[in-house]
Amino acid sequence: MLEHGGNLRDAARRFGRAAEDWLDLSTGINPRWYPPPPLAGNAWHRLPEADPALARAAAAFYGAPLMLPVAGTQAAIQALPRLRPPSRVVVAAPSYAEHAHHWALHGHNMRQIAYADLDAAVGDCDVMVVCNPNNPTGASVPAERLLHWAGQLAARGGWLVVDEAFGDTAPLGSVAAHSGRPGLVVLRSVGKFFGLAGVRLGFVAAHADLLGALADLLGPWAVSGPAQQIAHAALLDRAWQDATRERLLADGARLSQLLKQHGIEASGSALFQWWPEAKPDAFWLHMAERGIWVRLFQHAARGIRLGLPPDEDGWRRLTLALNEWSKDKQ
């Protein structure tokens, strides 16, 4: 398996510090998650039939014509390459590594292309995969350009797959509203904005025929009953959503400003900041020795990614560690 953030057990084992003593900034997950409501008892007992109300709530929240609930967008990332014959696939790079990994596993001719070169690559592929906004760099592609690419690909039976897992704080960049057209596939996640990564739930927006094929491939009972009930409540809670979006945008700006005060020019989204650190291994170790777990990228997008601290104590710990890093560099 590929390496990901959130691996606190690895941190605890490697550095001899209990998991609860770490400040985990290694993911881009909202550190103040949606409070799950009490669950109906049958959520644990009944086989989890697909709930049409959940799909409708997701379609309303994300602005899509149709949505298929899946066990995290990871399930769709792994399944989509199996729905096509061998194809020429371009994956925007650097980006979430699972996309390239799984397209390469299923007989496709997969290439990774820099964001700046995607426009020139559309004419030479059958499938293009773009994270928008990108994880980890925060790069984004205007919706108008994505829709233009989608039209080009669809005209020859191709797909544009847009992973909008970090799009909830930038809704104007979404193309989910256009996903009813053939050839456009949009992935959304409740793990990031809602902070509910543990429920393993995401959604796919696409043409009805493609969603039907994907549902058949994933099989029955793809999403647990508790996950369906929790997500349904979260998707309908507009007051929580509005307050959270405002807070995340403010905290994202605060993190960006804090890094600038230490000479770090970062990019990212409301949920994380990334930069091509000159000494990423040393920075990662400096933070780990102080109980702060950050994401070290050693290959593609070589650098550091920081998520948001959950509270003022977390902000103080991060600020102190950055002060010490700056002093050590002098």
Side-chain angles (χ1 to χ4, degrees), residues 1-22:
M1 290 186 291
L2 302 180
E3 183 180 349
H4 297 285
N7 51 340
L8 275 183
R9 286 190 177 90
D10 292 341
R13 182 172 57 251
R14 180 164 182 173
F15 291 93
R17 181 190 292 263
E20 59 269 21
D21 292 336
W22 286 87

Side-chain angles (χ1 to χ4, degrees), residues 58-76:
F61 177 73
Y62 295 115
L66 293 172
M67 300 205 93
L68 174 69
V70 295
T73 52
Q74 182 66 29

Side-chain angles (χ1 to χ4, degrees), residues 40-48 226:
N42 65 1
W44 303 104
H45 171 68
R46 289 182 53 83
L47 286 171

Side-chain angles (χ1 to χ4, degrees), residues 49 60 75 133-134 145 164 176 197 240 247 274 281 285 295:
E49 302 170 87
N134 184 37
R145 185 174 302 171
E164 296 183 349
W240 186 92
R247 176 180 57 79
W274 170 91
D281 299 87
L285 182 60
R295 181 67 193 279

Side-chain angles (χ1 to χ4, degrees), residues 45-324:
H45 171 68
R46 289 182 53 83
L47 286 171
E49 302 170 87
D51 183 357
L54 174 62
R56 289 194 297 269
F61 177 73
Y62 295 115
L66 293 172
M67 300 205 93
L68 174 69
V70 295
T73 52
Q74 182 66 29
I77 290 169
Q78 294 180 199
L80 285 171
R82 299 167 59 192
L83 292 178
R84 290 190 64 92
S87 303
R88 301 167 301 162
V89 179
V90 164
V91 177
S95 66
Y96 183 58
E98 294 285 346
H99 288 289
H101 178 66
H102 287 284
W103 281 101
L105 284 179
H106 295 283
H108 301 284
N109 179 10
M110 192 280 299
R111 297 178 293 146
Q112 297 189 66
I113 301 293
Y115 270 70
D117 300 324
L118 290 177
D119 198 47
V122 173
D124 192 31
C125 67
D126 306 304
V127 176
M128 178 174 282
V129 182
V130 181
C131 293
N132 200 54
N134 184 37
N135 170 25
T137 66
S140 61
V141 180
E144 296 79 8
R145 185 174 302 171
L146 291 172
L147 294 175
H148 179 63
W149 293 346
Q152 290 180 271
L153 290 160
R156 52 181 185 272
W159 296 350
L160 176 68
V161 180
V162 185
D163 185 341
E164 296 183 349
F166 286 96
D168 291 348
T169 55
L172 294 180
S174 175
V175 293
H178 305 274
S179 57
R181 64 174 65 178
L184 178 60
V185 183
V186 178
L187 309 181
R188 301 298 294 248
S189 170
V190 303
K192 311 301 190 297
F193 174 74
F194 290 99
L196 295 174
V199 306
R200 303 312 305 141
L201 179 62
F203 297 92
V204 181
H207 187 272
D209 292 344
L210 194 153
L211 291 183
L214 180 58
D216 288 343
L217 178 59
L218 294 174
W221 315 305
V223 178
S224 75
Q228 292 189 51
Q229 290 193 15
I230 292 168
H232 185 254
L235 291 166
L236 295 179
D237 195 337
R238 295 304 171 92
W240 186 92
Q241 294 160 16
D242 291 344
T244 296
R245 189 173 291 110
E246 182 178 354
R247 176 180 57 79
L248 289 176
L249 289 168
D251 283 355
R254 180 180 179 180
L255 180 57
S256 176
Q257 184 60 36
L258 176 61
L259 294 172
K260 284 182 180 178
Q261 291 170 6
H262 292 83
I264 298 172
E265 292 294 332
S267 61
S269 74
L271 285 162
F272 62 84
Q273 291 291 308
W274 170 91
W275 70 96
E277 169 60 45
K279 298 179 179 179
D281 299 87
F283 184 93
W284 170 83
L285 182 60
H286 172 89
M287 291 293 174
E289 289 173 343
R290 289 154 179 79
I292 301 175
W293 197 230
V294 306
R295 181 67 193 279
L296 168 66
F297 289 86
Q298 294 180 299
H299 303 293
R302 181 169 172 79
I304 296 291
R305 188 189 66 195
L306 293 183
L308 299 175
D311 50 33
E312 287 303 317
D313 180 64
W315 284 103
R316 284 191 292 270
R317 286 181 67 180
L318 176 59
T319 300
L320 177 60
L322 287 169
N323 288 340
E324 292 173 341

